[in-house]
């Protein structure tokens, strides 16, 4: 390096040549810390002062901008805003669920799935919607089957987020399925099946959040607040479920600007 550059970037770990063995060979793996540092210095000296990135203009035409809304959640209907104590308790419960899931993930992953459980591929959006919500909800069919009394038909009502299922999902799949369900929720009503899966997927999200996951959960919280305001019959159980998701996104995942003001 030139002297001017050395003044701006002093060597924090200088190595004197006297510290090196007489048979020092920079082409072989270092044997001592001094040889390692000298090898680093030699490699750094060989680096060019200016590096020009080779950019493919075709790739820049795709998805050049990312639209991120910074708007907050709509306030809860009067009389339905959760208390701070309730929100803190939900965060504590959720944290315990995540710890248990991480602790026993390998055990549940090793459990055999029932023969009727076939998990879709990560990129199969329609397959995951049917898998999680069931063909009945997916097709918006309210008519009960003639075989209803023979037992639960998970193909029709959707598979619950069993530990043996979610433990097999890597982070890419968790994020993809979360995106599929949030997209569904953007145009459809909130259902218990949807709520169970959203809770389970949030429990599987690793921190720190990836940018796409960060954007998704904020979108989810805002959608929950919209549905909560539009809830005509003020179903207390459903509003409580929506409050819970908003609470977890805002207070566990540190999106405090989306949090409900304590009642």
């Amino acid at each position: 390096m030139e002297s001017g550059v050395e003044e701006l970037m002093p060597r924090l770990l200088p190595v004197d040549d006297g510290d090196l063995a007489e048979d020092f060979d920079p082409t072989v793996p270092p044997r001592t810390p001094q040889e390692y540092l000298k090898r680093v210095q030699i490699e750094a000296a060989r680096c060019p002062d200016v590096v020009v990135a080779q950019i493919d203009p075709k790739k820049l035409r795709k998805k050049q901008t990312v639209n991120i809304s910074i708007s907050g959640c709509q306030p809860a209907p009067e009389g339905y805003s959760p208390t701070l104590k309730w929100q803190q308790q939900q965060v504590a419960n959720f944290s315990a669920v995540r710890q248990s899931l991480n602790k026993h993930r390998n055990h549940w992953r090793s459990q055999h799935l029932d023969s009727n459980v076939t998990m879709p591929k990560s990129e199969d959006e329609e397959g995951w919607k049917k898998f999680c919500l069931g063909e009945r909800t997916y097709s918006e069919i309210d008519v009960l089957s003639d075989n209803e009394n023979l037992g639960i038909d998970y193909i029709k009502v959707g598979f619950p987020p069993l530990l043996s299922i979610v433990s097999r999902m890597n982070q890419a799949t968790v994020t993809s399925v979360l995106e599929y369900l949030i997209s569904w929720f953007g145009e459809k009503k909130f259902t218990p099946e949807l709520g169970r899966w959203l809770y389970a997927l949030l429990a599987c999200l690793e921190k720190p959040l990836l940018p796409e996951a960060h954007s998704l959960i904020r979108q989810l919280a805002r959608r929950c607040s919209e549905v909560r305001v539009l809830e005509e019959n003020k179903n207390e159980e459903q509003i409580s479920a929506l409050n819970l998701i908003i609470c977890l996104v805002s207070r566990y995942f540190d999106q405090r600007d989306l949090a409900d003001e304590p009642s």
Side-chain angles (χ1 to χ4, degrees):
M1 287 187 179
E2 297 180 359
S3 59
V5 177
E6 288 185 352
E7 291 177 2
L8 294 174
M9 301 176 62
R11 292 183 296 172
L12 298 181
L13 295 172
V15 179
D16 190 281
D17 290 341
D19 297 333
L20 302 173
E22 294 182 358
D23 60 345
F24 170 67
D25 183 354
T27 63
V28 300
R31 296 167 297 181
T32 66
Q34 290 76 19
E35 289 186 4
Y36 169 77
L37 294 174
K38 189 64 177 180
R39 178 73 177 270
V40 171
Q41 287 183 5
I42 293 173
E43 292 178 352
R46 292 173 179 170
C47 292
D49 293 334
V50 178
V51 179
V52 179
Q54 299 299 320
I55 299 175
D56 184 355
K58 294 180 180 179
K59 294 183 179 180
L60 291 178
R61 298 192 186 103
K62 301 178 180 179
K63 299 182 179 180
Q64 295 187 46
T65 58
V66 177
N67 295 321
I68 301 177
S69 173
I70 59 174
S71 60
C73 289
Q74 298 188 32
E78 186 175 354
Y80 289 90
S81 181
T83 64
L84 179 59
K85 181 178 180 180
W86 182 89
Q87 294 182 65
Q88 292 172 337
Q89 184 61 55
Q90 302 313 310
V91 169
N93 294 343
F94 183 69
S95 179
V97 168
R98 285 172 59 91
Q99 291 177 15
S100 178
L101 178 60
N102 289 330
K103 181 178 180 181
H104 302 291
R105 186 182 300 276
N106 290 335
H107 167 75
W108 288 109
R109 185 181 297 160
S110 66
Q111 301 302 302
H112 293 292
L113 295 175
D114 292 340
S115 58
N116 65 330
V117 180
T118 302
M119 295 174 62
K121 294 182 179 180
S122 180
E123 66 275 11
D124 185 1
E125 179 173 354
E126 302 307 311
W128 273 109
K129 289 176 182 177
K130 292 180 181 178
F131 184 87
C132 299
L133 305 174
E135 291 184 349
R136 180 182 299 161
T137 298
Y138 180 82
S139 304
E140 297 183 314
I141 299 174
D142 295 328
V143 180
L144 297 179
S145 168
D146 294 336
N147 298 324
E148 193 73 21
N149 59 346
L150 298 180
I152 298 176
D153 186 346
Y154 288 113
I155 301 297
K156 292 183 178 179
V157 302
F159 290 91
L162 303 173
L163 288 172
S164 55
I165 293 176
V166 298
S167 294
R168 284 174 162 80
M169 301 169 66
N170 58 29
Q171 281 301 289
T173 301
V174 169
T175 304
S176 294
V177 177
L178 189 60
E179 181 180 3
Y180 302 153
L181 295 183
I182 293 174
S183 174
W184 166 273
F185 185 32
E187 300 178 355
K188 307 292 183 179
K189 62 183 181 180
F190 184 85
T191 67
E193 295 82 9
L194 177 64
R196 284 192 289 268
W197 268 101
L198 291 174
Y199 186 94
L201 293 171
L202 290 176
C204 292
L205 274 183
E206 295 179 357
K207 296 176 71 175
L209 295 175
L210 295 174
E212 56 267 33
H214 176 270
S215 177
L216 281 172
I217 65 171
R218 289 182 62 85
Q219 180 183 342
L220 172 60
R222 287 193 293 267
R223 176 57 179 163
C224 285
S225 72
E226 293 171 0
V227 174
R228 183 176 61 180
V229 170
L230 297 174
E231 178 64 32
E232 296 179 356
N233 299 323
K234 295 297 180 286
N235 183 311
E236 188 170 342
E237 184 174 339
Q238 178 153 312
I239 289 182
S240 179
L242 296 169
N243 284 348
L244 173 59
I245 295 176
I246 295 171
C247 169
L248 298 180
V249 170
S250 61
R251 298 193 180 275
Y252 184 86
F253 290 103
D254 302 318
Q255 307 302 307
R256 296 305 174 95
D257 61 305
L258 303 178
D260 281 316
E261 292 297 329
S263 59

